[in-house]
Amino acid sequence: MKKSYQVDEWGYYGTFGGAYIPEMLYPNTEELRSQYLKIMAEPEFQKEFNQLLKDYVGRPTPLYLAQRLSAQVGCKIYLKREDLCHTGAHKINNTIGQILMAKKLGKSRIIAETGAGQHGVATATVCALMGMECIVYMGEVDIKRQAPNVARMKMLGAQVRPATSGSKTLKDATNEAIRDWINNPVNTHYIIGSVVGPHPYPDMVARFQSVIAQETMEQLLELEGRDYPDAVVACVGGGSNAAGAYYHYLDREEVRIIAVEAAGKGIDTHESAATSVLGREGIIHGSKTLLMQSPDGQITEPYSISAGLDYPGIGPMHAHLFRSKRGEFISATDQQAMEAGLMLSQLEGIIPAIETSHALAVLDQLNFKSTDVVVVNLSGRGDKDLNTYIDYFKL
Ligand SMILES: *Cc1c(COP(=O)(O)O)cnc(C)c1O
């Protein structure tokens, strides 16, 4: 059998993935596992998904040849403009897919957890669109730190419930969401926001995000006369924008797969989120993957200036890309990312999300040839980060 970097039928990417969940959650994930591929293949589902991506999200997003950035780096750089999606990032591709899935499964109530609030907003948005009840769990500390996103969720009609245990951040919100799902297995769907969680979530989310790679292929064929670039570059928090940008190129070895993690203040400072370098194998959020943990196996708090990359694990697809060396993993510090964000703003007139700035920060370290065609996934826009940029540069 041909080696593949896609998930296998048991939910594994190499040795990573699976579904390590409490017994009580089994009926919920099993219902989803047994149905998701069938539902996604239905013409009616495809039609509704594609229609909403087009008319509501604003797809296809442009593949933009960044001429001034290209000249600076010394190769041909295209930006895949996910920042132009409704709500300002790629996350909506997945929440649209999952809310349609929830409807097909007969669910009427949606739960989610959020750290920085971006996934909470994307979930609240599609719940408003579909008139569904929406409950978003969020750590009490994060509620204080991310007030504008809390306000957005409320404006959209969602209920934001504080998680008050532990460190009162993302992992505590995740525990609350799982508890809720166990208690409400019949009417509730749990929308996970990245390629993490028990099988089938990583694969389902990757498939919903794969519209990014699908469009890139079509656009490159038109612009370059071939449907693949020499390299695809994306930032990795949990890994969903990266999974979507890589998806159709995973098994095409002529395409370099480049994953950029957040080094925070530096990988040896204990204030970092560079999971592939610092992490060890363990179980987080129901999946076996690489995660940052103490010697006795406690999950450690990650750090990055960018809230969306501040996650202690990476999805199992990425753990496998790292372990198998199919992916080139590299990290950018807060400082490198912030400077790259300022650079893109002034070279191209595009203010990127700080998450995305990490992907832009490493371009000059990758030894591209002048003839190389490189796609950078511009995962989100920087409006939400303006205060952080302003404070950092004292603008
Ligand atoms: C949430 C977010 C990320 C990180 O999440 P992934 O699942 O790794 O894509 C990256 N960029 C932006 C703009 C985000 O909002």
Side-chain angles (χ1 to χ4, degrees):
M1 214 176 85
K2 190 172 165 291
K3 187 169 78 176
S4 173
Y5 294 93
Q6 299 287 1
V7 76
D8 68 21
E9 63 180 296
W10 300 280
Y12 281 86
Y13 299 85
T15 57
F16 298 108
Y20 296 80
I21 50 169
E23 190 74 34
M24 306 264 286
L25 214 55
Y26 183 77
N28 309 38
T29 55
E30 182 52 24
E31 179 186 32
L32 193 59
R33 192 201 61 77
S34 63
Q35 300 282 336
Y36 83 111
L37 290 175
K38 196 171 94 232
I39 291 175
M40 283 176 78
E42 285 169 6
E44 195 194 340
F45 181 92
Q46 281 295 323
K47 185 165 169 238
E48 202 175 353
F49 182 52
N50 290 327
Q51 192 83 45
L52 283 170
L53 288 182
K54 176 170 176 281
D55 299 334
Y56 189 73
V57 176
R59 306 202 71 92
T61 59
L63 186 69
Y64 162 68
L65 175 59
Q67 304 238 18
R68 279 171 32 88
L69 177 65
S70 297
Q72 172 153 323
V73 176
C75 62
K76 204 165 183 183
I77 297 179
Y78 286 97
L79 301 176
K80 183 60 175 155
R81 297 291 308 276
E82 295 302 295
D83 59 315
L84 297 177
C85 291
H86 177 47
T87 68
H90 66 289
K91 285 194 173 71
I92 190 101
N93 303 326
N94 167 49
T95 56
I96 292 270
Q98 285 201 49
I99 198 111
L100 294 178
M101 180 66 63
K103 274 192 6 181
K104 292 279 177 198
L105 292 170
K107 310 291 177 182
S108 58
R109 180 175 177 271
I110 297 295
I111 57 170
E113 93 279 325
T114 193
Q118 296 299 113
H119 173 58
V121 171
T123 302
T125 300
V126 297
C127 288
L129 176 69
M130 295 293 170
M132 286 224 216
E133 184 183 357
C134 181
I135 291 144
V136 180
Y137 290 95
M138 192 169 182
E140 204 168 40
V141 169
D142 289 332
I143 289 179
K144 291 209 184 80
R145 286 197 289 211
Q146 310 289 346
N149 277 339
V150 175
R152 283 187 190 100
M153 287 183 261
K154 289 184 175 165
M155 182 86 188
L156 292 161
Q159 201 188 111
V160 181
R161 288 196 191 160
T164 56
S165 64
S167 56
K168 304 180 174 55
T169 58
L170 181 62
K171 69 175 168 18
D172 312 292
T174 304
N175 291 339
E176 292 293 330
I178 289 172
R179 196 166 306 146
D180 182 314
W181 207 23
I182 289 172
N183 290 328
N184 299 282
V186 178
N187 69 346
T188 298
H189 175 71
Y190 177 18
I191 298 190
I192 294 182
S194 190
V195 285
V196 300
H199 180 63
Y201 278 100
D203 183 51
M204 180 172 68
V205 176
R207 285 170 187 265
F208 287 140
Q209 292 291 0
S210 71
V211 64
I212 301 172
Q214 183 62 44
E215 289 174 5
T216 302
M217 289 172 76
E218 290 159 17
Q219 291 166 322
L220 277 179
L221 190 59
E222 191 160 292
L223 293 159
E224 292 289 330
R226 57 169 161 118
D227 69 357
Y228 63 96
D230 296 292
V232 188
V233 186
C235 64
V236 173
S240 69
N241 87 87
Y246 304 158
Y247 194 84
H248 294 293
Y249 299 122
L250 287 173
D251 294 332
R252 295 178 68 171
E253 305 264 353
E254 65 272 32
V255 181
R256 286 172 71 183
I257 298 283
I258 294 158
V260 188
E261 294 181 304
K265 295 189 176 160
I267 46 177
D268 41 17
T269 61
H270 299 285
E271 289 182 272
S272 181
T275 307
S276 64
V277 201
L278 299 171
R280 285 183 296 118
E281 204 165 303
I283 289 170
I284 183 171
H285 214 148
S287 162
K288 191 199 282 179
T289 189
L290 294 171
L291 60 128
M292 295 180 17
Q293 48 189 309
S294 64
D296 59 353
Q298 295 294 321
I299 295 169
T300 51
E301 284 287 319
Y303 164 81
S304 165
I305 194 166
S306 127
L309 301 184
D310 190 347
Y311 182 71
I314 47 173
M317 172 199 283
H318 299 291
H320 181 53
L321 290 173
F322 173 73
R323 183 64 61 80
S324 66
K325 301 195 163 66
R326 171 71 182 99
E328 298 170 49
F329 281 68
I330 182 165
S331 62
T333 61
D334 289 356
Q335 186 186 347
Q336 290 170 318
M338 295 303 276
E339 282 166 5
L342 188 63
M343 173 197 69
L344 189 77
S345 304
Q346 302 190 354
L347 277 179
E348 298 288 348
I350 298 170
I351 303 175
I354 300 175
E355 292 85 355
T356 315
S357 295
H358 286 74
L360 297 160
V362 302
L363 295 176
D364 53 8
Q365 299 168 41
L366 294 167
N367 299 316
F368 293 130
K369 296 197 295 284
S370 61
T371 51
D372 277 351
V373 172
V374 176
V375 171
V376 180
N377 197 34
L378 211 77
S379 58
R381 66 176 179 234
D383 303 41
K384 68 184 177 60
D385 297 320
L386 272 188
N387 282 333
T388 312
Y389 280 126
I390 287 168
D391 290 348
Y392 190 88
F393 293 112
K394 307 194 169 41
L395 297 173

